[in-house]
Amino acid sequence: MALIELKDVNKTYFGAQPLHVLKGINLDIERGEFVSIMGASGSGKSTLLNILGILDNYDTGEYRLDGKLIWNLTESQAADYRNRMIGFIFQSYNLIGFKTAVENVELPLFYQGIGRHKRHMMAMEYLEKMGLTAWAGHFPNEMSGGQKQRVAIARALVTHPDIILADEPTGALDSRTSVEIMDLLGRLNREDKMTIIVVTHESGVANAADKIIHISDGVIGSVEENRQHDSAHFGEGGIIK
Ligand code: ADP
Ligand code: MG
């Protein structure tokens, strides 16, 4: 059983003009995979990722997460799945500006009811893993884009999720920092066996993953096994912007 199974998933936005955005998506992602979903702007990537992250509903089809049918969940059930299973990373980091780095990383643990001391220790552990120990007491506006994204990655990881979902995680970063962030995600996949799904419109970013799933106009096209990189030389090709 795949960790993520989508069968014929459809989604329409009902605005002034109905927009059929996802048109029969079939997709299996196994535990431990590092996958990119690549497509042009407007192809439906964020819509798909939001469904995978139980941030949005689909209209027809089936989505199973770890075997459980994700359908008609209450908001509190959805939040419970998200908190237990999913870590999110966004292009704009989504850090809270009036909280320090370590407080940002502690936040999901606070929502899990973990006590002050323990959540501080756990948050510091993940900041250390991201090379940010010295930055723990700094506010987001004192940090570079790459540092902010590493804080966001620490926050995504601190609850030990099953999956990391990343929506254009390098979209606001320069190319060298983009390579560093994708390298970091690659290491989390290889060393910690994290399942990672990255959505991007950039082929250089998509190329960091082991598998590239192409999406075009709401339809999954080809799925490429990506053997261009190996673990020893990961990221050396650089990201083409
Ligand atoms: P991508 O992330 O690949 O750029 P999106 O999934 O964000 O694409 O959007 C796919 C299409 O759906 C676009 O045409 C976008 O304008 C439209 N869209 C996205 N979100 C909404 C929404 N909440 N309501 C109406 N249309 C939307
Ligand atoms: Mg998008």
Side-chain angles (χ1 to χ4, degrees):
M1 182 183 68
L3 180 58
I4 282 177
E5 294 182 341
L6 295 182
K7 287 208 178 73
D8 200 21
V9 164
N10 285 271
K11 168 85 179 174
T12 297
Y13 289 116
F14 293 97
Q17 294 268 342
L19 190 64
H20 192 182
V21 176
L22 298 181
K23 301 170 181 165
I25 300 285
N26 290 293
L27 186 61
D28 278 6
I29 295 172
E30 306 289 338
R31 204 174 271 280
E33 280 197 288
F34 181 16
V35 172
S36 61
I37 300 174
M38 188 177 102
S41 173
S43 56
K45 303 181 300 294
S46 293
T47 302
L48 176 57
L49 207 72
N50 289 344
I51 289 170
L52 295 180
I54 329 181
L55 293 166
D56 201 358
N57 300 312
Y58 53 99
D59 301 320
T60 61
E62 284 178 10
Y63 169 27
R64 283 196 165 72
L65 175 59
D66 202 22
K68 166 88 171 83
L69 183 65
I70 303 300
W71 182 251
N72 261 344
L73 301 185
T74 65
E75 187 40 50
S76 85
Q77 286 173 319
D80 179 58
Y81 272 101
R82 283 195 299 268
N83 293 340
R84 277 195 297 113
M85 297 196 68
I86 302 168
F88 292 96
I89 305 171
F90 300 99
Q91 172 172 347
S92 51
Y93 324 119
N94 290 16
L95 300 176
I96 294 177
F98 59 84
K99 290 188 180 290
T100 62
V102 69
E103 288 167 350
N104 269 278
V105 178
E106 284 182 43
L107 206 56
L109 301 173
F110 171 81
Y111 288 118
Q112 288 189 348
I114 293 172
R116 178 188 291 268
H117 179 70
K118 184 162 184 209
R119 67 178 188 251
H120 185 76
M121 298 299 285
M122 290 172 75
M124 287 305 296
E125 179 193 333
Y126 278 88
L127 282 178
E128 184 184 0
K129 211 170 149 71
M130 295 297 123
L132 290 172
T133 303
W135 290 85
H138 286 257
F139 290 92
N141 67 6
E142 299 167 337
M143 307 176 90
S144 70
Q147 288 170 330
K148 283 189 273 201
Q149 198 58 298
R150 283 187 282 141
V151 174
I153 293 171
R155 181 184 57 186
L157 290 169
V158 76
T159 54
H160 303 126
D162 294 81
I163 314 163
I164 295 284
L165 299 179
D167 194 345
E168 307 271 8
T170 64
L173 303 175
D174 62 68
S175 56
R176 207 194 62 173
T177 310
S178 296
V179 172
E180 284 171 15
I181 291 296
M182 294 309 293
D183 187 15
L184 186 52
L185 294 178
R187 276 199 284 127
L188 291 170
N189 168 257
R190 286 194 308 279
E191 293 170 11
D192 299 348
K193 312 281 183 261
M194 280 300 311
T195 308
I196 300 179
I197 305 173
V198 175
V199 149
T200 181
H201 66 278
E202 295 175 65
S203 60
V205 173
N207 248 313
D210 297 326
K211 187 190 272 188
I212 306 172
I213 296 166
H214 294 267
I215 183 169
S216 171
D217 199 17
V219 177
I220 301 278
S222 58
V223 177
E224 285 174 66
E225 295 292 334
N226 182 23
R227 302 191 197 287
Q228 287 182 15
H229 64 277
D230 61 52
S231 53
H233 296 93
F234 181 85
E236 279 188 7
I239 289 180
I240 303 130
K241 282 252 170 183

